[in-house]
Amino acid sequence: MTPRYRRNLRAMGALDLVREHQNTAGAPPRVTVIIAAYRRPGVLIHALRSALAQTMQHLEVLVIGDACSQETARIVHSVDDPRVHYVNLPRNTGDQSGPNSIGMELARGEHVAFLNQDDMWFPTHLETALARLHADSADLVLAPSFRILAQGPDATPSTLQGVFDTSTAEDYAPQNLRIYVASGLVCTSALARRVGHWRPAASVRYASSQDFIYRCWAAGARICTLDRPTIAVFPSAAAHSAYTDDRDGEQRLLAPVVLSGDAALLARQSRPMPGQHDRRARILGMVTWGEFSEGARAPAPDRRRLALFDAMAPVAARLGVGPFELAAWLRGIGRGDTNRILRSVRGLDPSDPR
């Protein structure tokens, strides 16, 4: 954690909370699960249940509230499991980077896994990720997902529409601009300490999660990927005003499927994520605002911009500039712009991204 970021957390009283909640009793768990929570207790309960339903049971779950209401505390405490701990920040940090950073400060596990409050893990997610991590002597494993868009009111698990499989045969390479959601990250605690905090979304051009993965790579981490989805992702950016109405229809619909481990059902109804196997569509189309609209197509990339990216990305990556940040810069996207757009789509005040 940088001195400046530590000062910011101290100013909001967050570091005092870390010291207050630091748990040193007992043997460390194998995995610390970090869930950043804000405003959506309806979806949070599904994420919590999926974490506790893991076949790998030696874990702790840290729910870090970003200045949440009492309803979030009620939902967390309703689980009534001693492995679950809740810390609510006294001031809102504006995005998941603040809670995730605090969670990393509190984590006791040998490994750290992140789970977005609106996503769910299949029961073997952690077991599969740790097996691959150790088989490859890796520091970080990235899991693909089933990306599930909003469903109609009459949808059933067997009539799903808009289910995408983000799997790919590619190994991780920063310049490929492969997007892995935070819920798919499992790393060693040693790597998390070496890389440090998540950078606030207001300070990056694209996304804190992609910045964190790049910084793991830049720190020399050995990164491996799973070959099939172990996560169900329900993107809040695809459901307008999700943070206003706390919609959890998709999670309720699919919770029995996910918790039973029936990935085959989703696999039968899914199709490849658009652009997953088209490098040109990924390179400079993925940072357009159309990405956040259901069914939007990435525009054909400008050839000159593409050539610039190809020439600059390997050098920039080694100079500390991640390819997502470079691609966004080439499109004229400023720091915090993506965060402001996402906040607006999600029903949050875009003028107060912190």
Side-chain angles (χ1 to χ4, degrees):
M1 186 176 293
T2 66
R4 179 179 179 182
Y5 196 68
R6 184 175 285 274
R7 285 196 299 272
N8 291 342
L9 293 176
R10 183 179 292 112
M12 71 171 64
L15 288 184
D16 291 336
L17 277 175
V18 169
R19 286 189 286 270
E20 178 184 342
H21 288 86
Q22 198 76 50
N23 180 10
T24 58
R30 194 172 180 200
V31 179
T32 293
V33 179
I34 299 172
I35 303 177
Y38 181 59
R39 272 202 187 182
R40 303 186 69 194
V43 297
L44 174 61
I45 188 63
H46 301 292
L48 264 172
R49 287 171 178 160
S50 78
L52 295 173
Q54 292 297 294
T55 54
M56 204 295 298
Q57 286 280 295
H58 193 201
L59 51 79
E60 66 176 357
V61 181
L62 304 182
V63 181
I64 312 296
D66 202 9
C68 290
S69 69
Q70 284 299 313
E71 180 61 15
T72 297
R74 186 190 69 78
I75 288 292
V76 176
H77 294 144
S78 73
V79 173
D80 193 24
D81 190 306
R83 295 172 298 170
V84 178
H85 308 277
Y86 179 55
V87 178
N88 194 27
L89 302 182
R91 285 170 49 194
N92 181 257
T93 64
D95 72 280
Q96 69 172 326
S97 63
N100 283 345
S101 295
I102 291 296
M104 286 165 56
E105 289 278 313
L106 288 167
R108 300 174 57 239
E110 301 169 36
H111 304 86
V112 173
F114 299 94
L115 176 57
N116 290 339
Q117 67 177 358
D118 44 7
D119 297 338
M120 288 189 285
W121 287 338
F122 285 90
T124 58
H125 169 68
L126 289 179
E127 180 181 347
T128 303
L130 292 181
R132 182 62 185 274
L133 199 72
H134 293 298
D136 287 13
S137 299
D139 306 292
L140 168 66
V141 62
L142 303 172
S145 62
F146 292 114
R147 188 176 189 266
I148 300 159
L149 301 185
Q151 303 295 308
D154 299 323
T156 68
S158 60
T159 62
L160 298 174
Q161 301 292 320
V163 180
F164 298 97
D165 184 339
T166 68
S167 301
T168 177
E170 290 180 335
D171 292 328
Y172 176 78
Q175 63 270 22
N176 286 346
L177 296 175
R178 285 272 294 126
I179 298 173
Y180 286 92
V181 297
S183 298
L185 277 64
V186 181
C187 67
T188 64
S189 292
L191 175 64
R193 288 191 293 269
R194 189 161 83 243
V195 173
H197 70 275
W198 286 47
R199 288 176 179 157
S203 71
V204 298
R205 288 183 166 85
Y206 189 63
S208 295
S209 54
Q210 307 315 303
D211 173 76
F212 183 78
I213 297 171
Y214 157 71
R215 286 165 53 221
C216 289
W217 174 87
R222 180 175 174 80
I223 301 174
C224 61
T225 58
L226 300 183
D227 59 2
R228 64 189 63 186
T230 57
I231 319 160
V233 169
F234 305 84
S236 60
H240 288 272
S241 300
Y243 279 71
T244 301
D245 58 18
D246 194 18
R247 173 192 174 102
D248 75 330
E250 285 70 38
Q251 286 86 351
R252 281 188 288 107
L253 174 66
L254 289 174
V257 174
V258 176
L259 295 180
S260 70
D262 192 2
L265 185 149
L266 292 183
R268 287 194 298 270
Q269 299 178 76
S270 67
R271 57 185 188 271
M273 189 73 185
Q276 286 295 93
H277 305 290
D278 182 348
R279 185 167 180 266
R280 288 183 174 270
R282 287 201 310 271
I283 281 183
L284 292 170
M286 68 2 168
V287 287
T288 63
W289 309 135
E291 175 194 355
F292 307 126
S293 301
E294 182 175 341
R297 291 178 176 271
D302 177 274
R303 290 184 179 276
R304 184 180 63 174
R305 195 181 289 133
L306 174 61
L308 278 172
F309 178 88
D310 285 341
M312 296 171 66
V315 177
R318 284 166 175 76
L319 293 176
V321 179
F324 277 101
E325 294 295 288
L326 173 63
W329 176 76
L330 286 171
R331 286 196 62 85
I333 295 169
R335 297 186 188 281
D337 282 352
T338 300
N339 188 45
R340 280 186 284 274
I341 293 293
L342 282 172
R343 287 181 66 87
S344 178
V345 168
R346 289 166 172 160
L348 299 171
D349 182 358
S351 66
D352 184 28
R354 287 176 173 73

